[in-house]
Amino acid sequence: MSAKLKVTVNCDMGEGYSLYKMGEDDQLIQTIHLANVACGFHASDFMIMDKTVLLAKHHNVRVGAHPSLPDRQGFGRREMIMDPDELNKCFTYQVGALTGFLNKYNIPLNHIKPHGAVYGMITRDIHLARASAQVAKSFNVPVMGLAGTCHQQAAVELGVPFIAEWFADLEYSPEGTLLITREHVPVSIDTVKTRVTTLITTRHITTVNGTLALPEDVDQVSICCHSDTPGAVEIARTVKKLVDSYNST
C-alpha cells in the first residue's frame, strides 16, 4: 500500500501589470500553502513582484517562481518554438528577478513551476524538461510539474526534487494529459469537491471519461487553484478545507 500523500494547495499569483490585476490575491493568499509568483514574462512587473512577495511573507506562505514563455500579450498561453538552451536562459532570467525580491525580504525560494503553454510543452519534450529542471537545480529548489511525464523524468535524471501538481479547476484527457486553455471556464464547487476527494483518498485523478491512478513513486501532490478561474476564492477555500482535514488525520 502506498504511503499517505503529502498534500498542499498552491495558486498562481502576482498576475497583473502596472495598475491592472488578475485575481483576488489578497483573499487567495489566505487559502494556500504555496504561491507561484509571476516573474514578468506573462504577467507582473517589479512593483507587483515586490508586493506579492511581501504579501506571501505576511501570511507565511512559501514562494515559488512561475516563469513563462515571453508572451505577455497572450498571457503565456500560446506555444512558441524555443530551443532548450534558450528556455534555460529565459527561466534563469525570470527566477533571478524574483529571487532579488525574495532576498530583500529574507525569504527562501521554495520551488519553480513553469507557466501556461510552456508547462504543457515540458510535459511532452524531454529536452525542454531537462532545461527547466536544470534551472531548478542551479537554484537548489524542487521543480513542480505533471507526474508521469517528461516533467518528472527530467527531475529524476538530474536529481532534482519533484513536486507533483494536480489542477482542481482544469480537465484531463483520458490519457491524463492536462487540457490547458487560454481562458478558464467555470467549474462547480461540487465538481471540485468530488475531484479533490477522489485524489486524496484513492490516489486517482479525474479525467473527462473516468479516472487514472497517480504513479506509485509520487509521494507529494500540490493542488493548484487558478486565480483567473471564475469563483476562484470559493474554489480555493473549498480545496484548502478538504486538504487541511485530510492532513490532520
Side-chain angles (χ1 to χ4, degrees), residues 24-36:
E24 301 298 329
D25 284 7
D26 291 346
Q27 295 183 61
L28 287 166
I29 198 74
Q30 302 175 48
T31 69
I32 61 175
H33 305 100
L34 311 176
N36 315 303

Side-chain angles (χ1 to χ4, degrees), residues 77 116 169-171 178-185 228:
R77 289 178 179 164
D169 52 3
L170 294 182
E171 293 189 329
L178 180 66
L179 301 179
I180 299 173
T181 57
R182 287 194 66 184
E183 293 186 20
H184 294 164
V185 300
D228 60 324

Side-chain angles (χ1 to χ4, degrees), residues 4-182:
K4 182 177 178 179
L5 282 172
K6 301 174 185 175
V7 186
T8 58
V9 183
N10 78 79
C11 184
D12 305 337
M13 311 195 82
E15 294 184 318
Y17 181 68
S18 184
L19 300 179
Y20 304 94
K21 70 173 185 176
M22 178 179 290
E24 301 298 329
D25 284 7
D26 291 346
Q27 295 183 61
L28 287 166
I29 198 74
Q30 302 175 48
T31 69
I32 61 175
H33 305 100
L34 311 176
N36 315 303
V37 178
C39 301
F41 276 24
H42 75 282
S44 195
D45 58 26
F46 45 86
M47 295 298 291
I48 291 176
M49 270 192 273
D50 185 275
K51 178 181 177 181
T52 308
V53 167
L54 190 57
L55 183 67
K57 181 174 184 176
H58 178 73
H59 289 279
N60 198 31
V61 169
R62 288 166 280 170
V63 175
H66 199 34
S68 167
L69 295 171
D71 177 31
R72 182 172 286 166
Q73 185 175 8
F75 200 66
R77 289 178 179 164
R78 301 181 295 187
E79 292 195 3
M80 63 176 60
I81 297 171
M82 187 172 283
D83 66 46
D85 183 63
E86 189 178 13
L87 183 68
N88 179 279
K89 291 178 173 61
C90 176
F91 278 13
T92 299
Y93 181 95
Q94 294 176 75
V95 178
L98 178 66
T99 300
F101 292 100
L102 293 173
N103 290 343
K104 176 182 177 181
Y105 294 111
N106 196 30
I107 302 172
L109 179 68
N110 188 74
H111 64 278
I112 295 174
K113 171 193 167 180
H115 164 81
V118 74
Y119 187 101
M121 292 163 64
I122 288 170
T123 68
R124 306 187 303 269
D125 188 322
I126 187 60
H127 302 292
L128 295 179
R130 288 171 182 146
S132 172
Q134 186 62 55
V135 177
K137 186 171 185 176
S138 68
F139 282 93
N140 196 31
V141 294
V143 63
M144 184 182 291
L146 199 61
T149 71
C150 293
H151 263 170
Q152 186 175 12
Q153 180 185 341
V156 172
E157 286 181 7
L158 293 173
V160 175
F162 181 77
I163 302 172
E165 184 176 35
W166 174 81
F167 295 82
D169 52 3
L170 294 182
E171 293 189 329
Y172 289 78
S173 75
E175 299 76 29
T177 300
L178 180 66
L179 301 179
I180 299 173
T181 57
R182 287 194 66 184

